[in-house]
Amino acid sequence: MYDVIVIGAGPTGSTAAKILAEKGRKVLVAERFPMPRYKSCSGILIKKSMDLVKQYFGEEIPESVMCLPTENKGMVFTDDKGQEFVFAQEGRNVWRSSFDKWLSDKAAKEGAEIRSDTAVLSCEEKEGYLMVSLKGETVYTEEARYVLDCEGVTGSLKRKITKASPWYITTFQTFNKGSVDLDPHYFYAYLQPELSEYDAWFNVKDNFLVLGVAVKDTGKIKFYYERFLAYMKEHHRLQIDAQEKAEKWLMPRIRPGCPIDYDVGRVLFAGECAGFLNPMGEGISCGMESGYCAACAVSEHMDDIENVYASYRSRTKPLKTYMERQWSLVGRMADTFRDFILLP
Ligand SMILES: Cc1cc2nc3c(=O)[nH]c(=O)nc-3n(C[C@H](O)[C@H](O)[C@H](O)COP(=O)(O)OP(=O)(O)OC[C@H]3O[C@@H](n4cnc5c(N)ncnc54)[C@H](O)[C@@H]3O)c2cc1C
């Protein structure tokens, strides 16, 4: 019987597993892909993420997981009137596959058992524990007192458990060789409604110029992406010599009030899967923090489920408030996000 089975070895799951193991809990992490696994991401770690890595894992982020330019100097927003706002802040530029593998190795070193290439298929509630069905080379079951679902946006288990229809944004980004007249140390977000249905972005990873758009309707990807390229050519002298890769992914579509799905029975949700995501898809810091909060709540109140629920909610309250404030900020920059504005 495990104390906790964690689903997913992203930043949320690995943080939770590391903390649970550190607190002496018997923890299994099931990750459906072989590690290191791919995750579509801009790979910008904001200052808060850097600090959380230091706080939870006791180390600075190693150079080996970074790409060039390793240093990120902040975000440049262009609002829906075309006005630029620079938010200067220290950050790092990483490849997610390497960064996430590094985190999961740290969880393993602390004593968490990691089974990659192993998908959780279902969880069945029993008296005081859960029967978890897993698929590795074969299908088999394990027992756990709690499941911490950190499966991210692409996971299907939460959909099965809650029976709720998820709200998605589709992201599309390309990796290109070429040139542009922007400082590669910044992440650029464009909020003009003519360029995307959510946001469009530009950043640099090693020698690649990464250009992306987010849409509500996948049929409109090509339309917005071409408009965004034209905009970048006109305003920033973008020149593309070769497109090396294009990829689609999903992001949770956060709604006004930033509702969070905390738990169902003995299953707790954390990270993106719970609905923690800051504007412009900054999800690593809130994934790590919610994973930490869930791990502490379970570990401290293992035998008292009502207190697990209460503790998880109260520990994540500052995180939710931070998230609401961030969304309110972009609400003031673009009509697309107007409903997020918090009233004084
Ligand atoms: C295009 C794009 C750009 C982004 N850029 C940034 C950025 O620059 N900075 C930032 O902070 N955030 C960024 N994000 C958001 C960030 O990637 C996510 O918020 C973050 O990865 C969430 O972490 P997580 O651990 O909750 O989920 P994930 O990182 O998605 O990890 C979940 C894991 O669970 C596994 N899994 C799923 N289902 C199962 C199952 N049934 N059984 C076992 N394992 C399962 C998955 O394979 C995956 O490894 C971006 C997102 C997108 C789409």
Side-chain angles (χ1 to χ4, degrees):
M1 171 79 74
Y2 288 93
D3 288 323
V4 183
I5 293 180
V6 175
I7 308 177
T12 310
S14 290
T15 303
K18 164 31 168 105
I19 299 302
L20 284 159
E22 187 178 275
K23 290 180 183 293
R25 296 298 179 182
K26 188 174 176 205
V27 52
L28 168 68
V29 180
E31 165 54 52
R32 72 174 159 174
F33 291 117
M35 294 294 281
R37 63 90 174 91
Y38 189 75
K39 164 81 180 79
S40 177
C41 189
S42 305
I44 304 299
L45 298 181
I46 60 167
K47 176 78 168 68
K48 186 172 177 196
S49 299
M50 292 169 64
D51 292 345
L52 291 178
V53 168
K54 185 89 212 272
Q55 185 185 336
Y56 301 151
F57 292 86
E59 278 181 43
E60 304 288 352
I61 300 154
E63 289 247 350
S64 58
V65 307
M66 294 183 200
C67 48
L68 295 173
T70 55
E71 194 188 345
N72 175 266
K73 293 186 178 169
M75 275 196 163
V76 181
F77 283 87
T78 302
D79 75 4
D80 60 3
K81 319 253 170 341
Q83 200 184 336
E84 240 181 51
F85 297 85
V86 181
F87 295 92
Q89 194 192 57
E90 188 189 358
R92 292 290 178 270
N93 192 8
V94 301
W95 287 118
R96 279 296 300 279
S97 46
S98 315
F99 174 68
D100 289 16
K101 173 79 167 66
W102 180 70
L103 294 182
S104 93
D105 285 349
K106 301 224 103 285
K109 211 166 167 197
E110 197 64 49
E113 184 184 336
I114 316 275
R115 277 185 217 162
S116 61
D117 227 347
T118 302
V120 172
L121 302 178
S122 62
C123 299
E124 199 185 324
E125 192 99 21
K126 301 281 179 189
E127 191 66 32
Y129 71 99
L130 290 151
M131 187 87 96
V132 180
S133 165
L134 300 112
K135 185 173 186 299
E137 280 179 13
T138 57
V139 175
Y140 58 99
T141 56
E142 295 283 5
E143 293 170 356
R145 303 202 49 207
Y146 290 89
V147 160
L148 195 42
D149 188 353
C150 308
E151 63 186 328
V153 72
T154 54
S156 53
L157 197 82
K158 184 183 152 202
R159 279 204 299 275
K160 268 193 212 161
I161 295 173
T162 60
K163 298 189 174 59
S165 317
W167 290 53
Y168 291 135
I169 290 290
T170 301
T171 59
F172 173 77
Q173 63 178 10
T174 60
F175 289 68
N176 308 280
K177 292 283 167 64
S179 58
V180 71
D181 69 358
L182 289 169
D183 182 345
H185 293 90
Y186 288 88
F187 178 88
Y188 298 84
Y190 301 88
L191 305 183
Q192 300 97 310
E194 61 275 19
L195 301 183
S196 80
E197 288 184 298
Y198 214 63
D199 65 333
W201 61 91
F202 168 77
N203 64 308
V204 174
K205 300 197 87 63
D206 284 343
N207 293 321
F208 295 110
L209 309 181
V210 185
L211 293 140
V213 291
V215 295
K216 293 172 187 165
D217 172 359
T218 48
K220 294 194 177 144
I221 288 176
K222 191 166 182 285
F223 170 78
Y224 283 110
Y225 181 69
E226 282 174 2
R227 276 188 163 201
F228 182 45
L229 287 194
Y231 173 89
M232 294 297 278
K233 282 176 187 161
E234 187 188 337
H235 290 82
H236 300 294
R237 290 197 228 162
L238 171 72
Q239 190 194 311
I240 294 183
D241 300 332
Q243 187 192 97
E244 303 281 329
K245 188 168 80 160
E247 64 191 22
K248 263 198 272 183
W249 207 265
L250 293 172
M251 253 197 292
R253 186 153 141 201
I254 305 303
R255 281 160 291 151
C258 304
I260 300 295
D261 295 315
Y262 292 97
D263 42 57
V264 171
R266 291 187 164 264
V267 179
L268 269 67
F269 305 107
E272 235 182 30
C273 151
F276 287 108
L277 186 72
N278 291 317
M280 310 306 105
E282 193 283 304
I284 296 172
S285 67
C286 46
M288 288 196 293
E289 193 173 341
S290 59
Y292 172 84
C293 293
C296 292
V298 170
S299 189
E300 281 166 29
H301 304 284
M302 180 69 70
D303 298 322
D304 180 352
I305 196 164
E306 292 306 324
N307 261 328
V308 170
Y309 295 156
S311 167
Y312 185 35
R313 278 166 180 70
S314 78
R315 282 173 179 276
T316 47
K317 205 154 190 252
L319 178 58
K320 189 167 184 297
T321 308
Y322 172 87
M323 188 175 149
E324 286 165 359
R325 281 205 317 267
Q326 297 289 312
W327 281 99
S328 181
L329 183 78
V330 290
R332 290 174 200 285
M333 286 189 198
D335 242 18
T336 315
F337 304 105
R338 191 185 36 197
D339 293 346
F340 286 90
I341 296 175
L342 295 172
L343 298 172

PDB file of all heavy atoms in Angstrom, residues 172-192:
ATOM      1  N   PHE A 172      -0.196  26.694 -31.005  1.00  0.00           N
ATOM      2  CA  PHE A 172       0.527  26.250 -32.199  1.00  0.00           C
ATOM      3  C   PHE A 172       1.814  27.047 -32.245  1.00  0.00           C
ATOM      4  O   PHE A 172       1.789  28.277 -32.169  1.00  0.00           O
ATOM      5  CB  PHE A 172      -0.310  26.543 -33.455  1.00  0.00           C
ATOM      6  CG  PHE A 172       0.430  26.282 -34.738  1.00  0.00           C
ATOM      7  CD1 PHE A 172       0.600  24.986 -35.205  1.00  0.00           C
ATOM      8  CD2 PHE A 172       0.965  27.326 -35.481  1.00  0.00           C
ATOM      9  CE1 PHE A 172       1.296  24.732 -36.388  1.00  0.00           C
ATOM     10  CE2 PHE A 172       1.663  27.088 -36.665  1.00  0.00           C
ATOM     11  CZ  PHE A 172       1.828  25.785 -37.107  1.00  0.00           C
ATOM     12  N   GLN A 173       2.955  26.357 -32.290  1.00  0.00           N
ATOM     13  CA  GLN A 173       4.211  27.106 -32.391  1.00  0.00           C
ATOM     14  C   GLN A 173       5.171  26.437 -33.350  1.00  0.00           C
ATOM     15  O   GLN A 173       5.134  25.227 -33.553  1.00  0.00           O
ATOM     16  CB  GLN A 173       4.836  27.381 -31.022  1.00  0.00           C
ATOM     17  CG  GLN A 173       5.243  26.171 -30.222  1.00  0.00           C
ATOM     18  CD  GLN A 173       5.911  26.551 -28.890  1.00  0.00           C
ATOM     19  OE1 GLN A 173       5.925  27.713 -28.464  1.00  0.00           O
ATOM     20  NE2 GLN A 173       6.504  25.586 -28.235  1.00  0.00           N
ATOM     21  N   THR A 174       6.025  27.282 -33.964  1.00  0.00           N
ATOM     22  CA  THR A 174       7.001  26.777 -34.935  1.00  0.00           C
ATOM     23  C   THR A 174       8.404  27.171 -34.486  1.00  0.00           C
ATOM     24  O   THR A 174       8.603  28.184 -33.804  1.00  0.00           O
ATOM     25  CB  THR A 174       6.754  27.392 -36.335  1.00  0.00           C
ATOM     26  OG1 THR A 174       6.883  28.812 -36.234  1.00  0.00           O
ATOM     27  CG2 THR A 174       5.380  27.033 -36.872  1.00  0.00           C
ATOM     28  N   PHE A 175       9.378  26.327 -34.854  1.00  0.00           N
ATOM     29  CA  PHE A 175      10.796  26.585 -34.560  1.00  0.00           C
ATOM     30  C   PHE A 175      11.464  26.881 -35.890  1.00  0.00           C
ATOM     31  O   PHE A 175      11.402  26.051 -36.808  1.00  0.00           O
ATOM     32  CB  PHE A 175      11.433  25.353 -33.910  1.00  0.00           C
ATOM     33  CG  PHE A 175      10.959  25.115 -32.503  1.00  0.00           C
ATOM     34  CD1 PHE A 175       9.652  24.733 -32.253  1.00  0.00           C
ATOM     35  CD2 PHE A 175      11.815  25.276 -31.423  1.00  0.00           C
ATOM     36  CE1 PHE A 175       9.204  24.516 -30.953  1.00  0.00           C
ATOM     37  CE2 PHE A 175      11.384  25.062 -30.118  1.00  0.00           C
ATOM     38  CZ  PHE A 175      10.072  24.679 -29.888  1.00  0.00           C
ATOM     39  N   ASN A 176      12.099  28.046 -35.978  1.00  0.00           N
ATOM     40  CA  ASN A 176      12.600  28.510 -37.275  1.00  0.00           C
ATOM     41  C   ASN A 176      14.045  28.975 -37.218  1.00  0.00           C
ATOM     42  O   ASN A 176      14.499  29.489 -36.196  1.00  0.00           O
ATOM     43  CB  ASN A 176      11.747  29.714 -37.732  1.00  0.00           C
ATOM     44  CG  ASN A 176      10.271  29.392 -37.693  1.00  0.00           C
ATOM     45  OD1 ASN A 176       9.751  28.757 -38.593  1.00  0.00           O
ATOM     46  ND2 ASN A 176       9.585  29.814 -36.628  1.00  0.00           N
ATOM     47  N   LYS A 177      14.724  28.843 -38.355  1.00  0.00           N
ATOM     48  CA  LYS A 177      16.027  29.481 -38.549  1.00  0.00           C
ATOM     49  C   LYS A 177      15.750  30.793 -39.264  1.00  0.00           C
ATOM     50  O   LYS A 177      14.901  30.829 -40.168  1.00  0.00           O
ATOM     51  CB  LYS A 177      16.940  28.598 -39.408  1.00  0.00           C
ATOM     52  CG  LYS A 177      17.369  27.308 -38.697  1.00  0.00           C
ATOM     53  CD  LYS A 177      18.467  27.589 -37.690  1.00  0.00           C
ATOM     54  CE  LYS A 177      18.755  26.463 -36.730  1.00  0.00           C
ATOM     55  NZ  LYS A 177      19.257  25.252 -37.318  1.00  0.00           N
ATOM     56  N   GLY A 178      16.447  31.862 -38.874  1.00  0.00           N
ATOM     57  CA  GLY A 178      16.209  33.141 -39.529  1.00  0.00           C
ATOM     58  C   GLY A 178      16.728  34.290 -38.686  1.00  0.00           C
ATOM     59  O   GLY A 178      17.643  34.110 -37.873  1.00  0.00           O
ATOM     60  N   SER A 179      16.130  35.472 -38.851  1.00  0.00           N
ATOM     61  CA  SER A 179      16.583  36.643 -38.092  1.00  0.00           C
ATOM     62  C   SER A 179      15.400  37.547 -37.765  1.00  0.00           C
ATOM     63  O   SER A 179      14.351  37.490 -38.418  1.00  0.00           O
ATOM     64  CB  SER A 179      17.630  37.410 -38.908  1.00  0.00           C
ATOM     65  OG  SER A 179      17.055  37.782 -40.142  1.00  0.00           O
ATOM     66  N   VAL A 180      15.609  38.398 -36.751  1.00  0.00           N
ATOM     67  CA  VAL A 180      14.571  39.314 -36.285  1.00  0.00           C
ATOM     68  C   VAL A 180      15.275  40.418 -35.504  1.00  0.00           C
ATOM     69  O   VAL A 180      16.380  40.196 -34.989  1.00  0.00           O
ATOM     70  CB  VAL A 180      13.546  38.542 -35.395  1.00  0.00           C
ATOM     71  CG1 VAL A 180      14.141  38.157 -34.061  1.00  0.00           C
ATOM     72  CG2 VAL A 180      12.241  39.280 -35.221  1.00  0.00           C
ATOM     73  N   ASP A 181      14.654  41.609 -35.407  1.00  0.00           N
ATOM     74  CA  ASP A 181      15.368  42.681 -34.687  1.00  0.00           C
ATOM     75  C   ASP A 181      14.892  42.831 -33.231  1.00  0.00           C
ATOM     76  O   ASP A 181      14.718  43.933 -32.737  1.00  0.00           O
ATOM     77  CB  ASP A 181      15.254  44.010 -35.447  1.00  0.00           C
ATOM     78  CG  ASP A 181      13.843  44.564 -35.420  1.00  0.00           C
ATOM     79  OD1 ASP A 181      12.958  43.904 -34.840  1.00  0.00           O
ATOM     80  OD2 ASP A 181      13.618  45.650 -35.974  1.00  0.00           O
ATOM     81  N   LEU A 182      14.661  41.702 -32.536  1.00  0.00           N
ATOM     82  CA  LEU A 182      14.247  41.760 -31.124  1.00  0.00           C
ATOM     83  C   LEU A 182      15.344  41.170 -30.241  1.00  0.00           C
ATOM     84  O   LEU A 182      16.084  40.289 -30.680  1.00  0.00           O
ATOM     85  CB  LEU A 182      12.959  40.950 -30.929  1.00  0.00           C
ATOM     86  CG  LEU A 182      11.687  41.557 -31.533  1.00  0.00           C
ATOM     87  CD1 LEU A 182      10.555  40.541 -31.517  1.00  0.00           C
ATOM     88  CD2 LEU A 182      11.275  42.816 -30.773  1.00  0.00           C
ATOM     89  N   ASP A 183      15.396  41.647 -28.986  1.00  0.00           N
ATOM     90  CA  ASP A 183      16.393  41.142 -28.028  1.00  0.00           C
ATOM     91  C   ASP A 183      15.999  39.719 -27.605  1.00  0.00           C
ATOM     92  O   ASP A 183      14.922  39.522 -27.016  1.00  0.00           O
ATOM     93  CB  ASP A 183      16.421  42.090 -26.814  1.00  0.00           C
ATOM     94  CG  ASP A 183      17.470  41.685 -25.778  1.00  0.00           C
ATOM     95  OD1 ASP A 183      17.967  40.534 -25.853  1.00  0.00           O
ATOM     96  OD2 ASP A 183      17.776  42.508 -24.899  1.00  0.00           O
ATOM     97  N   PRO A 184      16.836  38.712 -27.863  1.00  0.00           N
ATOM     98  CA  PRO A 184      16.471  37.310 -27.570  1.00  0.00           C
ATOM     99  C   PRO A 184      16.359  36.993 -26.077  1.00  0.00           C
ATOM    100  O   PRO A 184      15.927  35.904 -25.714  1.00  0.00           O
ATOM    101  CB  PRO A 184      17.610  36.509 -28.207  1.00  0.00           C
ATOM    102  CG  PRO A 184      18.762  37.440 -28.265  1.00  0.00           C
ATOM    103  CD  PRO A 184      18.190  38.818 -28.460  1.00  0.00           C
ATOM    104  N   HIS A 185      16.742  37.943 -25.221  1.00  0.00           N
ATOM    105  CA  HIS A 185      16.682  37.688 -23.779  1.00  0.00           C
ATOM    106  C   HIS A 185      15.274  37.880 -23.209  1.00  0.00           C
ATOM    107  O   HIS A 185      15.039  37.623 -22.030  1.00  0.00           O
ATOM    108  CB  HIS A 185      17.643  38.615 -23.029  1.00  0.00           C
ATOM    109  CG  HIS A 185      19.076  38.312 -23.332  1.00  0.00           C
ATOM    110  ND1 HIS A 185      19.742  38.910 -24.366  1.00  0.00           N
ATOM    111  CD2 HIS A 185      19.938  37.451 -22.743  1.00  0.00           C
ATOM    112  CE1 HIS A 185      20.979  38.437 -24.399  1.00  0.00           C
ATOM    113  NE2 HIS A 185      21.122  37.552 -23.435  1.00  0.00           N
ATOM    114  N   TYR A 186      14.327  38.371 -24.015  1.00  0.00           N
ATOM    115  CA  TYR A 186      12.970  38.607 -23.517  1.00  0.00           C
ATOM    116  C   TYR A 186      11.979  37.635 -24.146  1.00  0.00           C
ATOM    117  O   TYR A 186      12.219  37.099 -25.239  1.00  0.00           O
ATOM    118  CB  TYR A 186      12.518  40.040 -23.834  1.00  0.00           C
ATOM    119  CG  TYR A 186      13.210  41.060 -22.987  1.00  0.00           C
ATOM    120  CD1 TYR A 186      14.435  41.612 -23.386  1.00  0.00           C
ATOM    121  CD2 TYR A 186      12.665  41.465 -21.768  1.00  0.00           C
ATOM    122  CE1 TYR A 186      15.098  42.537 -22.603  1.00  0.00           C
ATOM    123  CE2 TYR A 186      13.319  42.396 -20.977  1.00  0.00           C
ATOM    124  CZ  TYR A 186      14.532  42.934 -21.391  1.00  0.00           C
ATOM    125  OH  TYR A 186      15.180  43.844 -20.605  1.00  0.00           O
ATOM    126  N   PHE A 187      10.863  37.435 -23.446  1.00  0.00           N
ATOM    127  CA  PHE A 187       9.730  36.700 -23.998  1.00  0.00           C
ATOM    128  C   PHE A 187       8.706  37.770 -24.412  1.00  0.00           C
ATOM    129  O   PHE A 187       8.389  38.652 -23.620  1.00  0.00           O
ATOM    130  CB  PHE A 187       9.132  35.772 -22.931  1.00  0.00           C
ATOM    131  CG  PHE A 187       7.928  35.023 -23.409  1.00  0.00           C
ATOM    132  CD1 PHE A 187       8.066  33.798 -24.053  1.00  0.00           C
ATOM    133  CD2 PHE A 187       6.644  35.532 -23.231  1.00  0.00           C
ATOM    134  CE1 PHE A 187       6.957  33.097 -24.515  1.00  0.00           C
ATOM    135  CE2 PHE A 187       5.528  34.846 -23.685  1.00  0.00           C
ATOM    136  CZ  PHE A 187       5.693  33.624 -24.325  1.00  0.00           C
ATOM    137  N   TYR A 188       8.234  37.693 -25.644  1.00  0.00           N
ATOM    138  CA  TYR A 188       7.318  38.720 -26.178  1.00  0.00           C
ATOM    139  C   TYR A 188       5.913  38.146 -26.301  1.00  0.00           C
ATOM    140  O   TYR A 188       5.728  37.088 -26.935  1.00  0.00           O
ATOM    141  CB  TYR A 188       7.793  39.183 -27.556  1.00  0.00           C
ATOM    142  CG  TYR A 188       9.166  39.827 -27.492  1.00  0.00           C
ATOM    143  CD1 TYR A 188      10.319  39.058 -27.530  1.00  0.00           C
ATOM    144  CD2 TYR A 188       9.301  41.212 -27.364  1.00  0.00           C
ATOM    145  CE1 TYR A 188      11.582  39.638 -27.447  1.00  0.00           C
ATOM    146  CE2 TYR A 188      10.555  41.810 -27.282  1.00  0.00           C
ATOM    147  CZ  TYR A 188      11.691  41.006 -27.316  1.00  0.00           C
ATOM    148  OH  TYR A 188      12.936  41.579 -27.229  1.00  0.00           O
ATOM    149  N   ALA A 189       4.931  38.837 -25.705  1.00  0.00           N
ATOM    150  CA  ALA A 189       3.529  38.399 -25.815  1.00  0.00           C
ATOM    151  C   ALA A 189       2.730  39.504 -26.500  1.00  0.00           C
ATOM    152  O   ALA A 189       2.872  40.682 -26.145  1.00  0.00           O
ATOM    153  CB  ALA A 189       2.968  38.118 -24.438  1.00  0.00           C
ATOM    154  N   TYR A 190       1.924  39.132 -27.485  1.00  0.00           N
ATOM    155  CA  TYR A 190       1.135  40.090 -28.274  1.00  0.00           C
ATOM    156  C   TYR A 190      -0.341  39.819 -28.020  1.00  0.00           C
ATOM    157  O   TYR A 190      -0.820  38.706 -28.230  1.00  0.00           O
ATOM    158  CB  TYR A 190       1.478  39.944 -29.758  1.00  0.00           C
ATOM    159  CG  TYR A 190       2.947  40.193 -30.024  1.00  0.00           C
ATOM    160  CD1 TYR A 190       3.874  39.155 -29.946  1.00  0.00           C
ATOM    161  CD2 TYR A 190       3.412  41.481 -30.292  1.00  0.00           C
ATOM    162  CE1 TYR A 190       5.231  39.381 -30.146  1.00  0.00           C
ATOM    163  CE2 TYR A 190       4.764  41.721 -30.496  1.00  0.00           C
ATOM    164  CZ  TYR A 190       5.672  40.671 -30.420  1.00  0.00           C
ATOM    165  OH  TYR A 190       7.000  40.911 -30.608  1.00  0.00           O
ATOM    166  N   LEU A 191      -1.045  40.859 -27.548  1.00  0.00           N
ATOM    167  CA  LEU A 191      -2.431  40.653 -27.128  1.00  0.00           C
ATOM    168  C   LEU A 191      -3.451  41.225 -28.120  1.00  0.00           C
ATOM    169  O   LEU A 191      -4.648  41.251 -27.826  1.00  0.00           O
ATOM    170  CB  LEU A 191      -2.648  41.287 -25.748  1.00  0.00           C
ATOM    171  CG  LEU A 191      -1.690  40.813 -24.640  1.00  0.00           C
ATOM    172  CD1 LEU A 191      -2.036  41.453 -23.308  1.00  0.00           C
ATOM    173  CD2 LEU A 191      -1.729  39.301 -24.495  1.00  0.00           C
ATOM    174  N   GLN A 192      -2.979  41.678 -29.291  1.00  0.00           N
ATOM    175  CA  GLN A 192      -3.918  42.250 -30.252  1.00  0.00           C
ATOM    176  C   GLN A 192      -4.862  41.170 -30.782  1.00  0.00           C
ATOM    177  O   GLN A 192      -4.402  40.123 -31.227  1.00  0.00           O
ATOM    178  CB  GLN A 192      -3.173  42.870 -31.444  1.00  0.00           C
ATOM    179  CG  GLN A 192      -2.216  43.994 -31.066  1.00  0.00           C
ATOM    180  CD  GLN A 192      -0.781  43.525 -30.935  1.00  0.00           C
ATOM    181  OE1 GLN A 192      -0.503  42.537 -30.254  1.00  0.00           O
ATOM    182  NE2 GLN A 192       0.140  44.218 -31.568  1.00  0.00           N
TER     183      GLN A 192
END
